[in-house]
Amino acid sequence: MNLLMKLTFLASVWLSSTFVYVKANSLEYDGWLNIALFHALDIDDPSKFTLRGNVTVTNRNTGLVSVAQEPLSLQDRNKLKRLAQENRLYRLEAHVTDSEGVTKFLTSSKACALAKSQLTDVLWVSLDHTGTVTAVTQSVNNGNLNECADLSNSDVDVLDEFNTDVYVKHTEPAPIPDTASFIQKMEREREARERGETKDNRSFFAKYWMYLVPVVILLLISATNPEAGQQR
């Protein structure tokens, strides 16, 4: 069995095992997952997170989602107002539940930006090639962050419900190398070496530069210092 046949055999085995692995994971990739959202609104108790809502991804492959969120109470509105006026962060904790268990992700944005956007935000759910969630990220239109110091009660009154868009982001597949052409090239080069047909196509200077450079240096030294040569 020559080198080409060996490499082709190994490549076919690798591709077959990869196909089986991807096929096995594709069943889970199409499965559901639930994301429970908790936010921290209390400046005096920053470790306290309360339920904001739930996001259900019914199919990870298609990115089909449903969102159900709790309306803000008057007390929560005032807490968010205080966060915005003091230029604090609005922190969001996502609890991702799937067949493997629960994974937590923490993301944040400017409370002022969230208030000025009237609770409009975007959640990005990032998946790897197996369909596992690798990140949950919140983004908010920044707007003018200098206008929250004078946030009025009328501005706070409209902050009753979140308007959230959820996008499922898949990992882009890497390009597949052309292994067949590479194997054929290696085989041709090996056969050429065995027959002694390999030619050196380098230029004259590329072949003999190590001999030419010292001569050129000596000539330059002699040309720039002719008096030293005469004194000898």
Side-chain angles (χ1 to χ4, degrees):
M1 183 181 292
N2 58 24
L3 178 61
L4 177 59
M5 295 179 64
K6 290 180 180 179
L7 292 175
T8 304
F9 173 75
L10 292 175
S12 62
V13 171
W14 178 80
L15 289 173
S16 299
S17 61
T18 302
F19 174 76
V20 172
Y21 173 78
V22 172
K23 184 177 180 181
N25 281 276
S26 64
L27 298 176
E28 182 62 28
Y29 192 87
D30 292 335
W32 63 273
L33 61 88
N34 183 74
I35 304 174
L37 302 176
F38 298 86
H39 53 188
L41 299 175
D42 196 341
I43 294 180
D44 300 323
D45 190 4
S47 62
K48 180 181 179 181
F49 285 80
T50 56
L51 181 65
R52 164 176 157 172
N54 284 278
V55 176
T56 302
V57 181
T58 56
N59 191 299
R60 298 183 224 191
N61 193 24
T62 61
L64 185 63
V65 300
S66 62
V67 183
Q69 301 190 88
E70 299 288 336
L72 285 181
S73 64
L74 179 59
Q75 184 180 9
D76 288 340
R77 295 178 199 171
N78 290 328
K79 290 179 180 179
L80 181 59
K81 176 184 177 181
R82 184 181 174 190
L83 285 174
Q85 288 177 333
E86 297 187 14
N87 198 26
R88 300 294 187 92
L89 289 176
Y90 170 83
R91 293 178 297 131
L92 182 68
E93 191 173 76
H95 296 193
V96 179
T97 303
D98 57 12
S99 59
E100 299 296 327
V102 180
T103 307
K104 297 180 181 180
F105 299 94
L106 184 64
T107 182
S108 63
S109 61
K110 285 287 188 179
C112 179
L114 184 61
K116 283 299 180 180
S117 67
Q118 297 184 357
L119 303 184
T120 299
D121 60 355
V122 176
L123 289 182
W124 294 91
V125 181
S126 301
L127 306 178
D128 65 9
H129 66 283
T130 65
T132 302
V133 178
T134 57
V136 177
T137 308
Q138 180 201 36
S139 61
V140 180
N141 184 19
N142 286 331
N144 190 346
L145 299 181
N146 297 322
E147 296 181 358
C148 286
D150 56 350
L151 201 64
S152 63
N153 291 331
S154 59
D155 294 329
V156 176
D157 290 339
V158 298
L159 304 180
D160 52 352
E161 293 185 0
F162 285 92
N163 180 22
T164 304
D165 291 324
V166 180
Y167 297 99
V168 178
K169 184 178 180 181
H170 302 274
T171 301
E172 295 294 334
I176 301 175
D178 188 2
T179 55
S181 299
F182 178 73
I183 292 173
Q184 292 175 0
K185 179 181 177 182
M186 290 180 59
E187 182 66 16
R188 288 195 300 268
E189 292 178 353
R190 184 189 65 81
E191 293 176 353
R193 286 194 299 270
E194 291 178 352
R195 294 194 300 266
E197 296 178 356
T198 304
K199 297 181 180 180
D200 192 349
N201 296 322
R202 294 179 298 170
S203 64
F204 178 81
F205 182 78
K207 293 179 182 179
Y208 304 107
W209 67 270
M210 69 288 293
Y211 305 109
L212 297 175
V213 170
V215 175
V216 173
I217 293 175
L218 290 175
L219 291 175
L220 290 175
I221 294 175
S222 300
T224 55
N225 193 11
E227 295 180 357
Q230 293 175 0
Q231 291 177 359
R232 293 194 192 96

